[in-house]
Amino acid sequence: LAPQAPQVQVARGWYEYYGRHDFAAALAAFRGAQRGLPNDADVWYGSGFVARRLGHYDEAVRDLQHARELDPNDVDIAMGVAEVLLGWRHFDAADAAVDAGLALDPGNPMLRRIKLELFWRDRDLSAAGRMLGAWHSDSALGLANRATQAMYQRDYAAASGLFARAIATSPDATIYTSYGEYIPAAFDWRLQRALCEARLGHAATASALYREVQGEARALLARKPGNVHVEVALHSALGEALAGLGMAKEAVDEGRRAVALIPESRDAWEGQIWQQDLARILSINGDADEATPLIAHLLETPGYHPLTTARLHLDPVWDPIRNDPRFQALLKQYDSARPAAASSGAAP
């Protein structure tokens, strides 16, 4: 009836984004809608949401901040600003945006997680611990956050127990830091728990957890998920499980399948997730030859849940290649560049 109506353009934008994954077409639709609805915060939120997928981070931040000016009490918009600034590696600005969001919704679990990411980015486990202690959260996400903190402190027994509780509390929960929310976080939590059990010398328990993930991922892939993002997440989870089981070649094959299905060239925001997962697989395999060039690329690349040198220091998944001279050289190079990164937004 009115194909050029701005409300129709908004609907078209979300259809192109979610239905066809045509981000350029989605952005064009939102831009068209903005001419007719210039003061509608949701329209600017939509364009910012899409621009990050195209790697236009300055545009994404500008539009999301404009949406926030139009609707300063919308916590989802505040969180969108924080997420993009974090992904763009503007960490100080992301911290301020998180605090602004938490002022609106102090209990928001995703904003709390971003705040934790920023503490971990600074390798400030003490501040992260104080924040976790103040929450007193026994939600699945709260337990998983505490488990990650314990794992970073190399308290593998505590971490394993907390991951187990998180899985039991909400086996179907999804969070943005675990496979982009496309599959249950329990896949990730079991893999993390398996790593902890392996470090404790409990090889049988670790193998059982890896086999659980292997079996479930293969079964779901056999059903043809019908969603490329779900398929990619399952390939990545399967790859890490296979690596944990010592099936190095098969593990890398799964990781490479994930990267090929959603490459960085197609989705600048999400493509980095699957490359990080491939790097993790390569590290578990002890393959520094392949892992270190990929890690170097990731340290320079903005994107969803960006890799930082702090996570390279803290996460035990990198231990198999930690003493390799090339890995140590990367840490030294980016650690020395870190003070400038805080103000410039460059790679930490």
Side-chain angles (χ1 to χ4, degrees), residues 3-4 22 41 53 63 67 94 112 118 132 163 166 181 197 216 235 253 260 282 295 298 329-330 334 341 347:
Q4 298 309 311
D22 187 336
R53 297 279 180 173
D63 286 6
R112 286 178 164 186
L118 289 163
L132 286 165
F163 278 127
E181 298 185 83
E197 290 293 328
E216 288 187 28
H235 281 301
D253 288 346
L282 291 165
I295 291 167
L298 290 168
L330 278 178
Y334 285 95

Side-chain angles (χ1 to χ4, degrees), residues 109-327:
M110 299 316 298
L111 284 168
R112 286 178 164 186
R113 175 63 190 229
I114 296 173
K115 187 72 175 179
L116 270 178
E117 292 289 332
L118 289 163
F119 281 134
W120 289 332
R121 183 260 166 184
D122 289 330
R123 295 171 66 186
D124 193 344
L125 294 177
S126 295
R130 288 193 297 273
M131 191 175 188
L132 286 165
W135 289 347
H136 303 295
S137 175
D138 280 332
S139 68
L141 179 55
L143 292 164
N145 286 337
R146 286 156 54 194
T148 301
Q149 170 84 352
M151 185 173 68
Y152 286 172
Q153 293 171 316
R154 298 301 196 267
D155 186 348
Y156 296 120
S160 179
L162 286 163
F163 278 127
R165 287 177 61 194
I167 295 163
T169 298
S170 187
D172 297 322
T174 60
I175 61 170
Y176 88 103
T177 52
S178 292
Y179 301 111
E181 298 185 83
Y182 296 118
I183 59 176
F187 279 92
D188 180 29
W189 296 340
R190 278 181 291 181
L191 291 169
Q192 302 305 316
R193 187 178 174 223
L195 185 153
C196 292
E197 290 293 328
R199 293 294 188 277
L200 290 167
H202 304 159
T205 302
S207 293
L209 288 162
Y210 284 130
R211 287 195 181 93
E212 281 181 24
V213 173
Q214 176 193 20
E216 288 187 28
R218 285 199 189 282
L220 289 169
L221 283 167
R223 295 177 200 166
K224 306 293 183 187
N227 180 316
V228 68
H229 300 273
V230 172
E231 184 179 350
V232 167
L234 290 169
H235 281 301
S236 281
L238 176 57
E240 190 162 332
L242 292 171
L245 291 168
M247 302 167 69
K249 181 183 182 304
E250 294 90 337
V252 173
D253 288 346
E254 293 296 330
R256 294 198 191 284
R257 285 189 187 101
V259 171
L261 283 167
I262 302 183
E264 186 181 310
S265 59
R266 171 180 163 182
D267 189 334
W269 180 247
E270 189 178 308
Q272 200 203 57
I273 300 176
W274 317 120
Q275 292 186 73
Q276 281 192 60
D277 288 348
L278 175 57
R280 290 173 63 89
I281 290 166
L282 291 165
S283 178
I284 294 169
N285 288 347
D287 188 349
D289 288 341
E290 294 288 338
T292 48
L294 181 54
I295 291 167
H297 169 72
L298 290 168
L299 288 171
E300 295 281 359
T301 307
Y304 200 30
H305 195 46
L307 186 64
T308 64
T309 50
R311 286 170 55 202
L312 293 175
H313 280 289
L314 293 171
D315 195 334
V317 79
W318 309 109
D319 286 355
I321 61 171
R322 187 167 303 284
N323 294 325
D324 186 276
R326 290 159 294 185
F327 186 88

Side-chain angles (χ1 to χ4, degrees), residues 10-31:
V10 172
R12 180 174 290 117
W14 289 119
Y15 167 68
E16 296 289 354
Y17 181 81
Y18 284 116
R20 299 183 65 241
H21 305 143
D22 187 336
F23 304 131
L27 187 58
F30 282 118
R31 291 283 178 249

Side-chain angles (χ1 to χ4, degrees), residues 38-51:
N39 296 317
D40 188 324
D42 289 341
V43 180
W44 293 93
Y45 176 75
S47 62
F49 214 61
V50 175

